[in-house]
Amino acid sequence: MTTVRRAVLTLPAAPLGPDNPLPALRAPAGAGAPAVDARTLAELPRDMARGIGRAPLRSLLPAPVRDGYGRDRTPTDLDAIVIENDRLRVTVLPGLGGRIHSLHHKPTGRELLYRNPVFQPASFALNGAWFSGGVEWNIGATGHTTLSCSPLHAATVPAPDGSPMLRLWEWERLRDLPFQVDLWLPEDSDFLYVGVRIRNPHERTVPVYWWSNIAVPEDRRVLVPADTAWHHGYERGLRRVPVPVTEDGADRSYPRNGAHAADWFYDLPEGQRRWIAALDTDGTGLVQTSTDPLRGRKLFTWGTGRGGRRWQEWLTEPGTPGYAEIQAGLARTQLEHLELAGDAEFSWLEAYGPLVSDPATTLGDDWTAARADAERSLADALPRAAVDTAYTAWRESAADTAPEEVLAAGSGWGALEVLRGSHVLPGTPFPASTIGPEQEPWRELLLTGVLPAPAKGAAPGPPLVAAPWRDMLETAPADPSTEYHLGIAQWHADDRAQAVRSWERGLKEATVRWPLLYCLAVADREDGHPARAAERFVDAFTDHTERNGVGAGAGAGAGAEVGAGADAAWEEAVTAALAREAVESLLAAGGRAGRPRELWARLPEALRDRGAFRLLEIRMLLAEGRHAEARAVFDTGFEVADLSEGAEVLGEIWAELTDEPLPDAYEFRMRPS
């Protein structure tokens, strides 16, 4: 009998900490640059070229940036849900994006996935916090989802065969779409079935992105039914190459056969069964297959270079075996987005399970024979027709079924959108009971036409930016909080001049000025006025710190700005976020050399000791010409917890100080020099 039950998973874990309190007005790093150059784009298949240019993000709004985590790990209990039959035990983390943490095959005792022994957030998601290992569900836009470390709704639902099924669902806020992931184990099955549905409840067409990312030990051979792939590296090119042996003579089906991180998007022929496998030296391992709509397959490798190895250590702990990712997506590459018409859906079925093949063939030099043997083994274990039949049964008899026992709660944003749009979404209820303090002011706006002002001395809450909310803000009575939110919505709509006017109107009457000053500072910086931007960032920092008594040697105490739900951790997050912006902007703007140092002296000592601020200190010392002291900070050692994927800043600054090789501890470069 299949069972679904709550459980607790205890891991060494770094706390997520509070979200960044500043609105995410800027697009993710690299979002403004073309995914490929114009010449490459012109040579691509027409549908691929259209998908690559479709609906790039202008900002991360309304999602928050998640950068409050650190690197001090302590044993922590994580909520888990276990799905189990006689053959498989599947551990899911509903509070962390619904990630499958483990896929354990009971008859052989094998773990089929790369299972991270720690929970360590790092800045890989579109909005920051992400962690490695297991199977993750990426929806939204190119990159790791903003829900990577967020809770999803979870409940049991009857599966097509009557056994219990786990349903995960949420409202994805970047594209304003609900989605669901249904996981079940038929009795005596070696395969986990995963039914996925993305619905567009709006009248307009929306861009859609989905990739299921599967972490596997990197000492595997990756097999896939393709002879060519689109290679994408950190030089931002995209070119079609033969696989598995590329022009340099390396067999890329082995993740360790490459020095640098790279993506290999396999070009599966039309009509070909969709699958990808990662096999050990004995010919056994994991296979993932799906119905045809999940078209793409990909291999991501870290490479054997120092940067790739350092990132692997950074995401787990020294001595842990490395991993690669095999992936499956709606498009051929992750650079593309598809279009989903209004009142339509994308749905498909995936299956995950063990594969047993002849190692003499699947690990041999004959690529055609290797993949043919793997496909025969897959056909014996799980015929293609069985996957199609399971999808039909799920879609017709289970996908719309109402949840039974609620196991975990997600956010209240979906409930707010259902209330606003009167959406009918069978199978994925977003009950009004999930609306919490963050959503409550917006519900008041919806019901009364007035956005309630924050409590006296409190800052405005999280923003909403979709067109219907912007329309309501434009007709609501104006006050500083409403003008703040209206400006953010206008900024998101690329009406930047109106956004600035809204923020300037709000600033005239505001008692809590730092949120509006911050927004105006970002606008100044984006408009090419670095000096004015720097002054406004400093003013925003000053407004916050003077209200809360923050200074050198002081902590962020409970000042007048503490509103409903705010606490000392949130206060510290505001101080840290504004201080980083202010110091960075002063350094970028040049001007009087002592200004950054003056602001630095006002920071709490505990803040100056954080890795991100140690890096700022190095930049400040360089600007002051104090190279020996800057080098001493490197020698003492520091860690920037939210260092971004592909970041090269440590290497660049080190090169300003010395011709010596960059120490391994600071080597995070992921591309050829």
Side-chain angles (χ1 to χ4, degrees):
M1 293 290 291
T2 299
T3 60
V4 176
R5 57 182 171 85
R6 289 189 179 94
V8 173
L9 177 68
T10 302
L11 293 177
L16 278 170
D19 291 343
N20 191 308
L22 308 180
L25 300 178
R26 284 166 288 181
V36 297
D37 60 71
R39 179 177 177 181
T40 300
L41 196 66
E43 295 173 349
L44 296 177
R46 186 171 300 177
D47 63 330
M48 183 184 287
R50 284 197 301 267
I52 288 175
R54 183 173 289 132
L57 292 179
R58 288 195 292 263
S59 76
L60 286 173
L61 294 166
V65 172
R66 312 203 71 180
D67 61 0
Y69 52 87
R71 293 191 56 80
D72 293 330
R73 298 190 288 266
T74 58
T76 303
D77 291 340
L78 303 176
D79 290 335
I81 299 172
V82 174
I83 314 165
E84 189 167 10
N85 66 3
D86 287 342
R87 313 290 295 176
L88 287 173
R89 182 169 59 248
V90 185
T91 304
V92 179
L93 303 177
L96 295 170
R99 181 80 60 99
I100 297 178
H101 174 73
S102 170
L103 189 60
H104 177 79
H105 188 234
K106 295 162 76 171
T108 60
R110 293 177 66 106
E111 173 59 49
L112 300 180
L113 303 172
Y114 166 76
R115 183 176 56 191
N116 198 332
V118 305
F119 172 69
Q120 176 56 62
S123 186
F124 278 60
L126 287 165
N127 63 334
W130 172 87
F131 64 107
S132 65
V135 182
E136 59 176 309
W137 319 111
N138 287 302
I139 182 173
T142 300
H144 295 281
T145 177
T146 60
L147 296 168
S148 291
C149 292
S150 295
L152 304 189
H153 299 280
T156 56
V157 183
D161 63 358
S163 64
M165 175 171 74
L166 172 63
R167 173 163 298 158
L168 306 166
W169 73 99
E170 240 311 348
W171 197 281
E172 200 286 314
R173 301 179 69 203
L174 289 184
R175 302 303 192 184
D176 214 12
L177 297 175
F179 70 98
Q180 73 188 75
V181 180
D182 288 355
L183 305 97
W184 75 101
L185 288 171
E187 189 173 354
D188 297 325
S189 173
D190 279 311
F191 282 83
L192 171 70
Y193 287 170
V194 181
V196 183
R197 176 165 62 170
I198 304 170
R199 285 187 277 198
N200 178 10
H202 312 294
E203 295 180 355
R204 68 184 187 278
T205 297
V206 295
V208 168
Y209 172 95
W210 180 279
W211 282 80
S212 303
N213 287 15
I214 308 144
V216 294
E218 66 178 356
D219 59 347
R220 301 289 190 266
R221 189 181 201 190
V222 175
L223 297 175
V224 64
D227 291 312
T228 59
W230 297 92
H231 172 253
H232 183 252
Y234 279 82
E235 69 278 5
R236 306 187 73 84
L238 186 67
R239 59 192 180 92
R240 196 173 184 177
V241 298
V243 292
V245 180
T246 52
E247 300 100 322
D248 60 0
D251 186 341
R252 301 296 181 173
S253 65
Y254 292 93
R256 290 176 171 173
N257 283 356
H260 302 287
D263 301 325
W264 307 90
F265 299 104
Y266 296 106
D267 199 2
L268 276 63
E270 290 294 333
Q272 168 64 52
R273 184 177 185 180
R274 315 301 193 192
W275 62 271
I276 189 168
L279 304 182
D280 207 339
T281 54
D282 61 358
T284 64
L286 171 75
V287 64
Q288 186 270 1
T289 187
S290 71
T291 50
D292 288 352
L294 199 65
R295 176 183 186 179
R297 292 298 186 275
K298 173 194 166 184
L299 168 64
F300 166 75
T301 60
W302 283 102
T304 57
R306 288 202 307 153
R309 308 327 295 172
R310 179 64 175 128
W311 274 117
Q312 296 244 38
E313 281 187 354
W314 187 255
L315 296 172
T316 176
E317 58 186 4
T320 302
Y323 77 96
E325 287 182 358
I326 55 176
Q327 305 179 12
L330 283 174
R332 275 177 289 191
T333 74
Q334 288 175 332
L335 309 181
E336 302 166 71
H337 294 73
L338 304 185
E339 287 186 328
L340 180 58
D343 294 319
E345 70 173 49
F346 288 138
S347 61
W348 63 91
L349 185 110
E350 304 179 43
Y352 296 78
L355 188 69
V356 180
S357 67
D358 174 17
T361 304
T362 53
L363 303 181
D365 293 334
D366 188 334
W367 175 248
T368 301
R371 71 190 201 203
D373 186 80
E375 189 157 356
R376 281 192 297 270
S377 298
L378 173 59
D380 290 341
L382 185 65
R384 184 177 188 177
V387 177
D388 293 336
T389 299
Y391 165 76
T392 301
W394 166 73
R395 186 61 193 85
E396 293 179 354
S397 68
D400 287 345
T401 302
E404 294 182 337
E405 180 187 1
V406 174
L407 300 176
S411 76
W413 296 112
L416 185 67
E417 292 301 331
V418 167
L419 181 64
R420 183 200 59 76
S422 300
H423 302 306
V424 178
L425 301 168
T428 54
F430 292 93
S433 60
T434 60
I435 291 178
E438 291 186 329
Q439 296 86 34
E440 189 57 44
W442 295 101
R443 177 161 65 175
E444 287 297 311
L445 174 64
L446 178 64
L447 298 178
T448 68
V450 178
L451 184 69
K456 184 178 181 181
L464 284 175
V465 296
W469 296 106
R470 186 175 71 249
D471 293 342
M472 284 183 262
L473 288 167
E474 287 176 344
T475 58
D479 65 12
S481 177
T482 302
E483 297 285 13
Y484 166 81
H485 283 296
L486 176 58
I488 291 175
Q490 291 165 332
W491 181 271
H492 177 73
D494 210 26
D495 191 353
R496 297 191 169 188
Q498 285 289 2
V500 169
R501 282 192 280 272
S502 295
W503 293 328
E504 288 175 340
R505 286 194 301 268
L507 191 62
K508 292 177 182 178
E509 304 294 332
T511 55
V512 179
R513 295 167 54 85
W514 68 260
L516 291 153
L517 287 166
Y518 167 77
C519 292
L520 289 167
V522 173
D524 283 335
R525 181 162 56 195
E526 296 294 305
D527 288 342
H529 303 294
R532 191 166 68 196
E535 293 303 321
R536 277 180 160 155
F537 280 126
V538 171
D539 289 345
F541 172 79
T542 300
D543 179 72
H544 170 70
T545 54
E546 288 183 351
R547 294 178 59 82
N548 293 278
V550 177
E561 202 170 286
V562 178
D567 56 18
W570 188 84
E571 295 283 346
E572 291 180 2
V574 177
T575 303
L578 291 175
R580 286 178 75 170
E581 294 281 6
V583 174
E584 288 176 357
S585 64
L586 287 170
L587 290 171
R592 188 159 62 87
R595 289 296 305 285
R597 179 65 61 183
E598 292 171 6
L599 192 146
W600 185 262
R602 296 160 58 187
L603 301 182
E605 184 177 351
L607 198 60
R608 295 198 300 254
D609 287 341
R610 294 184 187 177
F613 285 87
R614 298 287 281 167
L615 180 59
L616 273 180
E617 183 182 15
I618 292 171
R619 293 177 54 193
M620 188 168 56
L621 290 167
L622 282 172
E624 295 167 344
R626 299 158 65 181
H627 287 60
E629 293 170 75
R631 170 61 187 266
V633 178
F634 270 108
D635 293 341
T636 301
F638 63 95
E639 292 183 326
V640 182
D642 63 337
L643 195 69
S644 298
E645 177 184 10
E648 300 184 353
V649 61
L650 295 176
E652 292 168 352
I653 293 177
W654 178 264
E656 293 185 48
L657 293 170
T658 178
D659 293 330
E660 298 174 23
L662 182 65
D664 287 344
Y666 304 116
E667 178 58 277
F668 292 93
R669 294 171 293 191
M670 296 172 63
R671 62 175 180 172
S673 59

